[in-house]
Amino acid sequence: MPRRLSALIRSARTLLIAGLALSATTISGLAQSASTLDTRATAAWIYDVKTDTVLFEKQADVALPPASMSKLMTLNMLFEALRDNRVTLDTRFSVSARSAGMGGSTMFLNERDRPTVEELIQGIVAMSGNDACVAVAEGLGGTEDGFARMMNERAKAIGMTNSMFANASGWPNPGQRMSMRDLGTLARRLIIEFPEYYGYFGQREFAFDGRAPDNRFNRNPLLHLNIGADGLKTGHTSEAGYGLVGSAVQGTRRIIFVITGLQSERERAEESEAVVNWAFRQFREQALLSEGQEVTRADVWLGAERSVGLVAASDTSVLIPAIQSADQVEAEVSYRGPLQAPLSAGEQVADLIVRRNGLPDAVIPLVAERDIPQGGVLVRLQAAASVLMNRFLAPEAPAG
């Protein structure tokens, strides 16, 4: 543990939550001024998965036209159906006249086709097939309108607060909107919740029945750069511009990013590569605590013991700016003390707040080291006597 951080932790005994408000405001302002990323995207969100850190955001909560990036929600609905055993990868879906008649990027499905779920997944990811999205929507929701209602309900349930859906494909519609943060939240869900299907996002091409040879290549410009990119989805309409929901892994770190509003495929490719390089090179991972490591001790009120160790619930690391040394990291322990007995081992009773230049505060849970039962009659009598004694000895306030 860095020497300065260790000293700060040892000295920070009891810090009331209310007392941290001013410091949090100061750190927030510092984070905004210290950012070095200058992106041409009109909106962006960049996130480190392992440390749960938002590295950068720009208009991240504005609901914007998502274009084909909203196909990720259609895939989420399909992956959930697979997980719930409502369909399998070999299940075949019918193709309606509406599906076969979709324009834009397609698999060139016709009404005689009965594509499998696996083929439709690949057709959506690699070929960005609008027809495939409608086939999925009708297969799971009966109609595309019904499926859109299902998408809206599910989006709210999984924490997407600035999204609304009118269709399954991202086809331009005033009722089709998503924020960059929501797209990133959705990408994180697909990566973490559905690892058995996430590999499809790294597929570079898919030639469905040889029908669309010019449309078989995945549009993600990062997949061939050998920088750890393995997903997720591009998007483009004249209204939305060029965008990408991307993810990449280097070493033990995975980043997710969302950008939109770029002016061309080339600009999207350049900006995406720049974002990945920035995210991995401007920050480094710093080991902070080991599971069970004691950070400090807290006083306990009416307990069988007078204090309890506050320990890390798990191995913990944080990101810090590459130009910042570890001994410049500041930390405070925050809890309302004294803690009230009884306490259970593993019960969260405090937070370790880590402050870093250019990043939001990291809040790390601290738990009670052991069970602390309530004290017996003697402990309660001693506590009552102490309170009475303090009141008796306290100086009277001066009159009027």
Side-chain angles (χ1 to χ4, degrees), residues 210-229:
R211 296 184 193 180
D214 294 335
N215 192 40
R216 72 182 189 275
F217 296 106
N218 193 319
R219 293 167 172 78
N220 188 333
L222 301 182
L223 294 181
H224 65 281
L225 295 184
N226 196 31
I227 57 174

Side-chain angles (χ1 to χ4, degrees), residues 179 239 243:
S179 70
E239 180 186 22

Side-chain angles (χ1 to χ4, degrees), residues 37-41 221-222 224-225 227 242 244 257 259 262-278:
L37 181 64
D38 183 16
T39 178
R40 291 172 286 182
L222 301 182
H224 65 281
L225 295 184
I227 57 174
Y242 289 83
L244 174 65
F257 68 92
I259 54 175
L262 283 309
Q263 298 301 308
S264 66
E265 286 189 20
R266 178 176 179 178
E267 191 170 279
R268 176 174 64 191
E270 292 172 348
E271 204 69 12
S272 298
E273 185 176 4
V275 163
V276 172
N277 288 334
W278 178 85

